[in-house]
């Protein structure tokens, strides 16, 4: 993992929801996102793309959760009980009125989307589509700690890190959960810097309580911990991103070195990876790692 002066910075990127493409091979999808993530990251840092050596840990195809793109007239409700439970926990953490939170397990998806869109000044239709995609995939991943899909996704991320041996791992959205578990499952993997972006890791009664390894301690003081092989952990959240709830992870995890907030979103881009990759907080965090290790 050592680098000499002028060597590109080795990075592994781990995606969030909505990346499955059933019409393309995994390698084709991976190659396309290597280009796009490198472009956005280099642009935000103000450097040439050649200064980055980025690999893309693609796991969406391993979750087998069906199409992730719905049309504008798709009114399909989420039927998965866990997806509904996760939405209820999410709305409660967002501060939804108590009657809404109590009825979240049976209320229409559109009602939840309307409340979130109204409180975060988002487009209602696009918010509904996003919630459907996000909670379908998160529920698929979290349904069973030992499911073949969850294990395969975790191992794919670990294998990419082992193969590429990056100094930096950038994880976004659901990818922060997969990466956290992958690095814990493989403490031999050494990473100088882990950056989590738009992370739902600390969502109480939802994601946090289903993590592997499970947080330790007695409620309400239960804590997760930084993976052993990670030297530094930085969390970045847009204060207007309703997925990054709560935006600060340090209340739920030990070993977080820095928490940064950066308003990144235009119109509906509150959770888009490209906007996180291009933000000032990412540039400030990664620029010191362009130099070789001392």
């Amino acid at each position: 993992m050592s680098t000499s002066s002028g060597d590109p910075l080795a990075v592994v990127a781990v995606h969030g929801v909505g990346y499955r493409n059933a019409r393309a091979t995994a390698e084709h999808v991976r190659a396309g996102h290597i280009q796009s993530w490198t472009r956005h990251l280099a642009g935000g840092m103000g450097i040439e793309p050649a200064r980055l050596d980025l690999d893309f840990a693609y796991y969406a195809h391993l979750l087998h959760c069906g199409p992730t793109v719905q049309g504008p007239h798709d009114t399909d409700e989420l039927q998965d009980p866990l997806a509904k439970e996760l939405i209820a926990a999410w709305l409660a953490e967002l501060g939804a009125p108590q009657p809404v939170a109590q009825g979240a397990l049976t209320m229409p998806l559109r009602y939840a989307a309307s409340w979130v869109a109204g409180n975060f000044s988002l487009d209602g239709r696009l918010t509904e589509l996003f919630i459907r995609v996000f909670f379908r995939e998160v529920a698929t991943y979290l349904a069973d700690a030992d499911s073949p899909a969850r294990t395969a996704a975790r191992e794919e991320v670990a294998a990419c890190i082992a193969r590429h041996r990056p100094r930096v791992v950038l994880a976004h959205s659901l990818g922060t959960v997969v990466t956290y578990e992958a690095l814990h499952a493989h403490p031999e993997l050494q990473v100088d810097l882990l950056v989590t972006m738009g992370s739902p890791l600390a969502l109480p009664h939802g994601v946090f309580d289903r993590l592997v390894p499970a947080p330790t301690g007695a409620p309400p003081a239960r804590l997760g911990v930084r993976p052993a092989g990670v030297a530094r952990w930085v969390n970045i959240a847009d204060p207007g991103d309703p997925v990054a709830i709560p935006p600060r992870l340090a209340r739920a995890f030990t070993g977080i070195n820095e928490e940064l907030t950066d308003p990144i979103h235009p119109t509906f881009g509150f959770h888009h990876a490209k906007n996180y990759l291009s933000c000032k907080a990412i540039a400030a965090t990664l620029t010191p790692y362009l130099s070789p290790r001392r």
Side-chain angles (χ1 to χ4, degrees), residues 80-91 104-105 135 205-206 210:
D80 187 337
L82 177 56
K84 293 182 179 182
E85 185 178 341
L86 292 171
I87 291 176
W90 179 56
L91 289 172
L105 292 181
F135 284 101
H205 312 297
R210 293 177 171 84

Side-chain angles (χ1 to χ4, degrees), residues 76 81 111 123 135 172 204-205 243 290:
D76 177 45
Y111 189 89
D123 179 275
F135 284 101
H172 176 244
H205 312 297
V243 174
L290 287 170

Side-chain angles (χ1 to χ4, degrees), residues 231-254:
R232 180 175 175 81
W233 182 358
V234 175
N235 181 60
I236 298 175
D238 176 358
D241 183 351
V243 174
I245 296 295
R248 297 188 178 274
L249 299 183
R251 81 174 198 183
F253 294 88
T254 63

Side-chain angles (χ1 to χ4, degrees), residues 139-153:
T140 298
Y141 183 79
L142 293 177
D144 184 344
D146 299 314
S147 72
R150 186 167 181 170
T151 300

Side-chain angles (χ1 to χ4, degrees), residues 99-229:
V100 173
Q102 288 179 335
L105 292 181
T106 56
M107 72 180 181
L109 171 63
R110 185 165 296 173
Y111 189 89
S114 176
W115 188 90
V116 171
N119 280 268
F120 285 85
S121 301
L122 303 172
D123 179 275
R125 182 183 65 84
L126 293 176
T127 301
E128 180 180 342
L129 294 176
F130 175 81
I131 291 174
R132 184 185 294 113
V133 169
F134 183 84
F135 284 101
R136 275 178 175 166
E137 293 196 27
V138 174
T140 298
Y141 183 79
L142 293 177
D144 184 344
D146 299 314
S147 72
R150 186 167 181 170
T151 300
R154 216 161 39 207
E155 290 304 306
E156 180 64 29
V157 170
C160 185
I161 294 172
R163 179 175 63 249
H164 200 63
R165 301 178 68 202
R167 291 194 70 187
V168 176
V169 173
L170 296 177
H172 176 244
S173 186
L174 175 60
T176 67
V177 180
V178 184
T179 301
Y180 177 86
E181 295 192 343
L183 290 171
H184 269 293
H186 293 274
E188 74 278 7
L189 297 175
Q190 301 293 305
V191 175
D192 286 354
L193 174 67
L194 169 64
V195 181
T196 47
M197 308 175 291
S199 177
L201 271 166
L203 179 63
H205 312 297
V207 176
F208 183 72
D209 298 295
R210 293 177 171 84
L211 290 174
V212 178
T216 59
R222 300 179 70 214
L223 291 170
V225 63
R226 184 176 72 199

Side-chain angles (χ1 to χ4, degrees), residues 256-270:
I256 295 179
N257 299 93
E258 191 171 9
E259 300 221 65
L260 303 173
T261 56
D262 199 340
I264 65 166
H265 69 283
T267 314
F268 183 71
F270 65 84

